[in-house]
Each structure stands twice: as C-alpha cells, then as structure tokens.
C-alpha cells in the first residue's frame, strides 16, 4: 500500500480513532512517527510502497505495546488480521488495553522461538519481526517456514547490538543478509538512521 | 467449535469461509478476536509471579528513602523558625523564652500537618518492610535465612526477578551492584571488583579487609545455591539457608 505523507510524516487511515502512543490524527489519518516506529522509519527512508495490502493476514512477532502493529492494523483494515505476538506479559498487557477495541488485532502471549505452540495461526501473507535477540535471524526463518505463504513478504528488523555487542554492525548486517539470501529473495535493506541507531530493516520475499 | 484450533497449513480466514463456518470475513475476525482475547487474558492473569510485587515494594522503599532525606531537612528547617533551640523535637511546644518566630493559628496548623505527613513516610516504610519480610518467607525462604530480608530483597530487585537471580553464576552474584567498577575492569583493565551489594551482609562486620574477597566468593556461591533451591524446588523451607549461614560463620573463625 502506498503510504500517504502528511505534514512530513507518513500516515495511515485510522481503523479506530483512539490514539495508541500519543500520535496525532488529521482528518481520520493517524500520523506515523518514524522516531517511535521502525516500519515508519523505513517509510521515511524510502519504503513509500509498503508491501502489505488490505485484507492481508499478518504475523507480527515482537509487537510490544502495539505502536507499529497499530499502523499495520490500519493498513490491512477490517477484513485483514494482525496476529500480535509478544513474550513479555507487561508489554502485552498494555497492548490489550490500548488496542482492545481494534477488532483485527489478535493478542498472543507466546515465545516466538517455539512456533509449534501456535500452529493455528495458519498461513499468512506477511511476517513482520522486531525481536531483539541474538538468534533473531533463526527465529525469523523458523516462523516464515511454518507460516509465510509462498510469494509472501517478510520484514526483519535487525538490531546489531543484540546479535553481538562488540562486533562491527556492518559485518553483522552483511552476515544476516547472506543467511537471508539462502531462504529468500532480499528486496530491500534500510538503514534506519537517524531514527534508530544500529538498526536495519530487511524486506524479503519467500520464493518457494 | 474447534475453530481456529483445527487450522493447520492454510489461511485461517479462508479455511473458515471455505468450510462455511461464517458468512463474511468480518464475522470470522470477530470470532477470532474473542478467541484470542480470552485465551491471552487467561494467560496474562497467571503470567506474573509474586516477585514483581516484591520489586515494587523494594523500589518504593528506596524512592521514599531518597525523598525523605530532602523532606526531613525541609521540615527541620521550617520547624526551626518556630523552635530554633530544639530543631529536632518537632512538637508544637517550645520554651517560654524561645527566640523563635510568632506563629498564628494557620502557621502552626500547617507546620503540624507537615510534621505529621513526614512521620507517615516512616510508618509507610515500616509497613513495606514488614510486607517484604513476609513475602520472602514464601518466595525465597532460604535466601532470606542466609542474607536477611533487606539484602535478599535488594538482590532480587537488582537481578530483575527471582528467575534471573537463579540463573546467575555465583561470580555474577558476587558483583551485583558493582557494575561501574566491573565495566572499568572490562573496558579499561582496572582491578576487578571483589564484591557489590553483598558487602551489606552481616558476616563482613567482624572480618578483616584482607579476607573480604574470599568471604564474598564463598557467600556468593552459597547465595546462588539458596536461590536455585528457592526457585526450583517444590518444598518451601529455610533449612539450607540457615545451615549455610552457620557454616559461613564457623568458616570465618
């Protein structure tokens, strides 16, 4: 979906008017703060056409309190669905209270390392992952293997300091890209500076 | 209805429509929302273990402590305008010949209120400590028996959870609280710290400086075993903690 720009910020059409993280709305469009949302930052850095469409089913790993997930919810609309998985009960508690009235967001208290615990999520069109763990690439591959449709799109946020706190970030990104290439076609790689330091967002496509 | 638990390897919404469970996508989604919300709410209710409450209480005590130094100084200063001869007494009585100010009824009333409020802080802290003491009996009895409730609570708070503390090696427990010194050792090659907050343990009171490191190492090891016992075992008693405290005291001699 091509993302509109309002007052210099990306914006999504509000599925529900209630602000989730203090964001402003203009004429039913929720402003998407690139300083608070990594996907929003990627849009500012050039991802104007986000490969998520209306009616899509999205598996969101690491949704936390729902800042970015709420914009994904806007994009997929009332006939789409966002499975919101997080491991931390404190964050998910906030998510439930924030987005309880958004009917297309499914809160799930799960560990993304064990996708075999939630097979009933079924096949999805998109997998979005923002999990700061050393084995984040591995987690992504296991979840996309199980749930992402053929031809589906994957988004992977890599925080270099989580993979290795002392190694050179560029090296970590290159190594991650090499690993991803074995399983996907890498469509984009966005450095999220200045919105996030030492973070990169990969956009990939599952060919088979 | 089994849905969505019977979904496997296909899109959940399409599965529901194909099998005529619902008429429209929106109907499926409403059902899914109910399913997931109920399931997750159940899990959330049980997701937190009691140590989070302990950590709230410990943090509150530390915050009140910090706050009350400043407040108490203020109260003393304020009171001294009324009774400079005995600024610590904090009662609305003073010597006849006091060189303190003339206060009217309003001035005295507010001063009295301020004094009482600051005393309530102290009472609150006592209540918090009682709560922590009792909570530790069920949460971590061995750790409490070995270290006393104050140090036990602080260790759990610094670790973030009882589980985190249980997973730490003794060497890490030994230096909890000395992170600045630890970082300087790792980054700049300074001497490593010998102890962190475990220095607050009573066993250090009668020990000479030269053996601090040895004691810290032994104590940290025992703490580690106590915490693991408390976290992993089903039986709850403080036998191990008491035994280790005795052992350590004898070892010191």
């Amino acid at each position: 979906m091509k993302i509109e720009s309002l007052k210099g910020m990306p914006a999504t059409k509000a599925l529900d008017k209630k602000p989730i993280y203090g964001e402003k709305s203009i004429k039913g469009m929720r402003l998407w703060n690139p300083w608070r949302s990594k996907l929003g930052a990627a849009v500012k850095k050039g991802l104007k056409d986000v490969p998520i469409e209306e009616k899509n089913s999205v598996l969101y790993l690491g949704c936390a309190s729902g800042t970015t997930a709420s914009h994904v919810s806007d994009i997929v609309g009332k006939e789409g669905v966002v499975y919101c998985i997080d491991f931390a009960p404190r964050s998910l508690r906030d998510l439930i209270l924030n987005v309880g009235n958004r009917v297309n967001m499914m809160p799930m208290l799960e560990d993304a390392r064990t996708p075999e615990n939630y097979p009933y999520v079924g096949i999805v069109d998109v997998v979005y992952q923002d999990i700061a763990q050393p084995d984040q690439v591995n987690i992504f591959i296991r979840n996309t293997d199980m749930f992402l449709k053929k031809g589906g799109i994957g988004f992977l946020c890599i925080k270099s300091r989580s993979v290795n706190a002392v190694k050179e970030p560029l090296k970590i990104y290159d190594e991650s890209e090499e690993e991803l290439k074995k399983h996907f076609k890498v469509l984009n790689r966005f450095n999220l500076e200045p919105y996030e330091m030492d973070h990169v967002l990969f956009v990939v496509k599952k060919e088979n | 209805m089994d849905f969505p638990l019977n979904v496997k390897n296909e899109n959940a919404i399409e599965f529901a429509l194909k099998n005529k469970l619902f008429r429209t996508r929106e109907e499926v989604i409403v059902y899914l929302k109910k399913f997931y919300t109920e399931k997750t709410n159940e899990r959330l209710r049980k997701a937190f273990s009691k140590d989070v409450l302990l950590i709230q209480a410990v943090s509150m005590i530390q915050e009140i402590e910090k706050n009350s130094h400043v407040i108490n100084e203020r109260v003393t200063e304020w009171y001294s305008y009324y009774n400079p001869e005995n600024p610590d007494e904090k009662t609305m009585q003073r010597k006849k010949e006091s060189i303190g100010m003339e206060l009217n009824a309003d001035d005295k009333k507010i001063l009295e209120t301020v004094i009482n409020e600051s005393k309530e802080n102290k009472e609150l802290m006592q209540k918090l400590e009682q709560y922590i003491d009792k909570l530790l009996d069920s949460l971590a009895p061995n750790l409490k028996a070995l270290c006393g409730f104050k140090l036990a609570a602080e260790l759990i708070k610094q670790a973030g959870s009882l589980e985190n503390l249980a997973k730490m090696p003794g060497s890490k427990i030994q230096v909890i609280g000395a992170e600045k010194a630890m970082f300087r050792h790792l980054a700049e090659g300074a001497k490593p710290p010998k102890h962190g907050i475990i220095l607050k343990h009573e066993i250090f009171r009668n020990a000479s400086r030269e053996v601090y490191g040895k004691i810290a190492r032994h104590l940290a090891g025992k703490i580690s075993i106590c915490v693991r016992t408390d976290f992993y075992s089903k039986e709850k008693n403080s036998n191990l903690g008491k035994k280790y405290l005795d052992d350590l005291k004898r070892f010191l001699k």
Side-chain angles (χ1 to χ4, degrees):
Chain A
M1 180 180 287
K2 283 213 168 70
I3 302 296
E4 273 189 52
S5 192
L6 280 180
K7 298 212 167 182
M9 283 219 280
T12 54
K13 184 158 178 224
L15 181 70
D16 185 273
K17 287 191 190 143
K18 180 179 159 196
I20 306 290
Y21 57 101
E23 74 282 10
K24 294 208 168 80
S25 291
I26 301 178
K27 290 191 185 162
M29 301 290 287
R30 288 170 61 234
L31 294 179
W32 196 348
N33 189 341
W35 298 95
R36 296 283 299 267
S37 165
K38 296 189 187 80
L39 186 57
V43 172
K44 277 293 273 186
K45 295 285 298 208
L47 184 65
K48 299 278 184 238
D49 194 345
V50 175
I52 303 177
E53 307 303 332
E54 247 183 272
K55 298 189 193 178
N56 271 175
S57 297
V58 180
L59 176 61
Y60 194 125
L61 303 166
C63 58
S65 310
T67 306
T68 302
S70 67
H71 288 284
V72 176
S73 156
D74 282 344
I75 292 174
V76 302
K78 59 186 175 155
E79 290 186 81
V81 70
V82 188
Y83 298 101
C84 302
I85 293 190
D86 205 280
F87 183 51
R90 186 64 186 82
S91 301
L92 206 67
R93 196 184 83 192
D94 282 347
L95 181 103
I96 288 192
L97 295 175
N98 284 342
V99 307
N101 47 331
R102 279 175 175 260
V103 74
N104 69 358
M105 291 179 81
M106 313 293 159
M108 297 168 67
L109 184 64
E110 296 283 357
D111 186 348
R113 284 197 178 95
T114 48
E116 54 272 15
N117 285 347
Y118 46 92
Y120 41 84
V121 158
I123 301 293
V124 297
D125 304 292
V126 175
V127 172
Y128 183 101
Q129 178 176 312
D130 183 5
I131 292 178
Q133 289 290 314
D135 53 343
Q136 43 195 321
V137 177
N138 222 317
I139 296 174
F140 183 70
I141 290 169
R142 293 185 57 213
N143 276 276
T144 48
D145 267 351
M146 232 179 124
F147 301 117
L148 186 58
K149 75 177 182 193
K150 186 176 169 174
I153 300 291
F155 295 82
L156 177 60
C157 294
I158 302 244
K159 181 177 172 183
S160 70
R161 298 278 162 236
S162 289
V163 177
N164 189 318
V166 290
K167 215 171 179 180
E168 165 84 42
L170 197 60
K171 225 175 163 200
I172 292 176
Y173 304 142
D174 288 341
E175 283 170 12
S176 304
E177 188 166 347
E178 281 311 303
E179 186 60 35
L180 288 172
K181 277 185 179 155
K182 294 181 193 167
H183 304 261
F184 309 97
K185 180 176 180 197
V186 177
L187 301 176
N188 299 98
R189 170 170 150 177
F190 293 98
N191 183 318
L192 300 181
E193 282 177 32
Y195 307 107
E196 296 276 353
M197 303 311 280
D198 298 333
H199 275 80
V200 138
L201 186 127
F202 284 99
V203 185
V204 302
K205 186 168 182 175
K206 186 174 183 177
E207 305 267 69
N208 36 297
Chain B
M1 194 192 294
D2 274 344
F3 179 75
L5 294 172
N6 50 356
V7 171
K8 205 174 176 180
N9 293 328
E10 49 189 311
N11 182 284
I13 300 179
E14 280 160 30
F15 173 90
L17 294 175
K18 190 175 74 181
N19 288 300
K20 300 207 163 71
L21 301 174
F22 299 94
R23 285 180 307 127
T24 65
R25 288 182 73 92
E26 286 187 62
E27 281 175 26
V28 183
I29 291 168
V30 167
Y31 185 84
L32 286 176
K33 176 81 180 183
K34 186 158 179 277
F35 170 82
Y36 281 103
T37 305
E38 273 173 23
K39 194 181 182 79
T40 302
N41 285 351
E42 249 320 291
R43 288 206 188 166
L44 265 181
R45 286 182 196 107
K46 304 176 189 154
F48 295 104
S49 42
K50 289 270 192 160
D51 55 1
V52 307
L53 299 177
L54 182 93
I55 291 170
Q56 298 303 313
V58 177
S59 304
M60 180 130 214
I61 287 181
Q62 290 171 350
E63 282 145 18
I64 294 178
E65 259 172 3
K66 219 167 147 186
N67 201 16
S68 55
H69 288 311
V70 177
I71 299 253
N72 286 336
E73 272 180 29
R74 173 60 53 210
V75 174
T76 306
E77 177 72 7
W78 191 337
Y79 179 79
S80 72
Y81 282 95
Y82 171 71
N83 186 356
E85 287 83 6
N86 277 319
D88 294 318
E89 192 171 306
K90 310 256 174 46
T91 58
M92 300 312 289
Q93 286 172 340
R94 60 183 176 181
K95 283 202 183 121
K96 233 178 152 192
E97 323 82 47
S98 170
I99 57 171
M101 272 173 79
E102 283 301 313
L103 296 188
N104 66 20
D106 280 344
D107 303 329
K108 285 185 186 166
K109 193 172 175 194
I110 189 69
L111 182 53
E112 209 168 6
T113 305
V114 162
I115 291 170
N116 288 337
E117 283 294 320
S118 65
K119 282 192 186 139
E120 273 174 33
N121 265 349
K122 212 171 173 188
E123 279 170 31
L124 179 57
M125 273 182 57
Q126 278 171 358
K127 286 189 182 157
L128 289 168
E129 286 188 350
Q130 281 163 18
Y131 175 68
I132 291 172
D133 194 7
K134 194 168 178 196
L135 190 52
L136 280 170
D137 282 334
S138 53
L139 191 65
N142 286 295
L143 180 63
K144 179 188 163 187
L146 176 57
C147 298
F149 80 93
K150 277 196 180 160
L151 181 56
E154 259 200 79
L155 283 168
I156 295 174
K157 187 211 165 195
Q158 288 276 57
S161 68
L162 188 63
E163 182 170 358
N164 284 357
L165 193 59
K167 291 182 178 173
M168 286 183 184
S171 56
K172 194 163 175 186
I173 293 178
Q174 191 174 339
V175 296
I176 286 179
E179 283 78 22
K180 200 168 161 191
M182 194 65 194
F183 185 74
R184 265 189 274 126
H185 162 62
L186 291 170
E188 298 160 25
K191 268 199 266 183
K194 286 191 283 297
H195 39 64
I197 59 173
I198 60 172
L199 191 59
K200 295 181 185 176
H201 195 283
E202 56 168 298
I203 199 150
F204 287 97
R205 257 184 256 147
N206 297 321
S208 61
R209 270 269 155 88
E210 299 113 43
V211 286
Y212 269 16
K214 203 181 262 191
I215 297 175
R217 192 172 62 245
H218 284 265
L219 175 60
K222 298 294 181 245
I223 288 176
S224 174
I225 299 175
C226 281
V227 174
R228 285 171 196 178
T229 308
D230 285 332
F231 183 69
Y232 290 110
S233 89
K234 296 200 167 78
E235 276 184 41
K236 291 289 179 191
N237 61 53
S238 57
N239 300 337
L240 198 62
K242 284 187 188 142
K243 176 182 180 299
Y244 281 160
L245 185 60
D246 284 338
D247 287 350
L248 278 168
K249 284 180 176 165
R250 264 185 284 123
F251 171 78
L252 194 57
K253 295 194 179 111

